[in-house]
């Protein structure tokens, strides 16, 4: 069934996934802070899934579609943006964490080597964070607010791939594609890039890029690092 997102709805609190909630109660209150699992197969847009996602959009963006267990988002010019963001008003440093998602880039362009049609952007503590860009057959971490590090030149648009991002708790970052390590990098300090509050964001969020992508899931345990050692993210 095809669903189109015609309006941005406010998010609701998590009341689903009872088995996951039961697992959370088995760990200490100090570590059981967050688990975010969104899957397109649920039939819900991310902001409908009770995960505190907010939609940020600008320009003339067609409504995203949710069909056949795939969310599709498209922008056609740099001024257009559509991305999802979770904000945690806690500036204590984040622990080690992991994020995993399955996606395929369909098309895109950028007027900057440091921006891409799909980006993951995370603020780990006040003014400290990371940005990851997925472009057409090119993936990179930023080393500062504008400049990318050495990219990985791999397929990003011919097929769906599973990406896994790991943070070691001290700023070190590693990215895998289909369980093959592609990149290693580091978080960096920038007030203009990251801001004061913890946040986890993904989508087309740059005024220097545009494009289309399909995504099946986004899962992470930021900012608690709850599943880093003892569990795999579901």
């Amino acid at each position: 069934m095809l669903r189109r997102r015609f309006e941005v709805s406010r998010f609701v609190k998590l009341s689903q996934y009872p088995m996951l909630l039961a697992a959370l109660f088995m760990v200490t209150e100090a570590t059981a802070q967050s688990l975010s699992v969104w899957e397109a197969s649920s039939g819900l847009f991310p902001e409908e899934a009770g995960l505190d996602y907010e939609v940020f959009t600008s320009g003339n963006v067609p409504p995203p579609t949710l069909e056949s267990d795939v969310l599709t988002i498209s922008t056609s010019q740099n001024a257009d943006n559509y991305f999802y963001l979770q904000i945690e008003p806690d500036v204590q440093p984040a622990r080690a964490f992991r994020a995993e998602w399955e996606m395929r880039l369909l098309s895109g362009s950028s007027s900057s080597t440091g921006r891409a049609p799909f980006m993951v952007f995370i603020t780990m503590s006040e003014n400290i964070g990371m940005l990851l860009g997925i472009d057409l057959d090119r993936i990179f971490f930023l080393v500062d607010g504008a400049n990318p590090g050495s990219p990985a030149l791999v397929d990003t648009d011919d097929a769906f791939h599973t990406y896994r991002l790991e943070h070691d708790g001290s700023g070190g970052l590693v990215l895998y594609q289909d369980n093959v390590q592609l990149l290693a990098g580091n978080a960096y300090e920038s007030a203009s890039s990251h801001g004061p509050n913890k946040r986890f964001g993904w989508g087309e969020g740059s005024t220097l890029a545009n494009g289309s992508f399909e995504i099946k899931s986004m899962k992470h345990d930021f900012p608690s690092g709850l599943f880093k050692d003892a569990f795999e993210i579901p």
Side-chain angles (χ1 to χ4, degrees):
M1 179 180 68
L2 173 65
R3 290 197 61 199
R4 293 186 181 275
R5 194 76 194 119
F6 286 101
E7 62 182 34
V8 176
S9 65
R10 295 294 295 174
F11 46 81
V12 296
K13 293 298 182 182
L14 181 63
S15 60
Q16 304 167 337
Y17 307 110
M19 293 183 66
L20 292 178
L21 290 175
L24 292 180
F25 287 125
M26 296 176 65
V27 297
T28 66
E29 292 183 3
T31 58
Q33 296 179 41
S34 69
L35 171 65
S36 177
V37 177
W38 170 78
E39 294 177 314
S41 60
S42 69
L44 300 174
F45 289 91
E47 71 274 23
E48 297 175 333
L51 301 172
D52 286 356
Y53 273 117
E54 291 190 73
V55 175
F56 288 79
T57 183
S58 62
N60 186 24
V61 181
T65 62
L66 186 56
E67 183 180 18
S68 302
D69 299 339
V70 173
L71 172 67
T72 304
I73 295 176
S74 300
T75 63
S76 59
Q77 53 188 352
N78 289 359
D80 297 343
N81 299 125
Y82 200 103
F83 62 95
Y84 295 97
L85 193 64
Q86 296 164 312
I87 299 175
E88 168 62 51
D90 173 7
V91 297
Q92 298 300 313
R95 298 176 51 189
F97 65 83
R98 179 181 298 170
E100 184 176 293
W101 64 97
E102 186 178 1
M103 66 163 291
R104 173 172 62 179
L105 195 64
L106 299 176
S107 64
S109 65
S110 174
S111 59
S112 168
T113 58
R115 296 295 184 265
F118 182 89
M119 300 195 75
V120 175
F121 38 99
I122 304 173
T123 298
M124 302 162 186
S125 59
E126 186 172 6
N127 300 330
I128 296 175
M130 57 76 62
L131 282 86
L132 167 73
I134 299 181
D135 206 340
L136 290 172
D137 297 340
R138 175 176 167 268
I139 306 173
F140 57 88
F141 284 124
L142 266 70
V143 297
D144 55 31
N147 298 300
S150 297
L153 304 179
V154 294
D155 173 64
T156 61
D157 60 330
D158 286 343
F160 278 92
H161 296 286
T162 298
Y163 297 88
R164 186 172 79 251
L165 171 67
E166 296 185 350
H167 174 245
D168 65 6
S170 301
L173 302 163
V174 180
L175 180 74
Y176 299 83
Q177 184 194 64
D178 301 329
N179 293 319
V180 176
Q181 181 175 333
L182 297 183
L183 295 171
N186 292 282
Y188 62 92
E189 184 172 2
S190 170
S192 59
S193 291
H194 307 306
N197 297 323
K198 285 182 185 177
R199 64 179 183 174
F200 185 98
W202 55 273
E204 201 288 274
S206 173
T207 57
L208 300 176
N210 68 84
S212 302
F213 64 89
E214 297 176 328
I215 185 165
K216 294 183 177 181
S217 62
M218 176 61 74
K219 312 172 185 180
H220 69 80
D221 59 352
F222 175 81
S224 69
L226 177 60
F227 287 84
K228 174 64 178 176
D229 298 318
F231 304 93
E232 291 291 327
I233 295 177

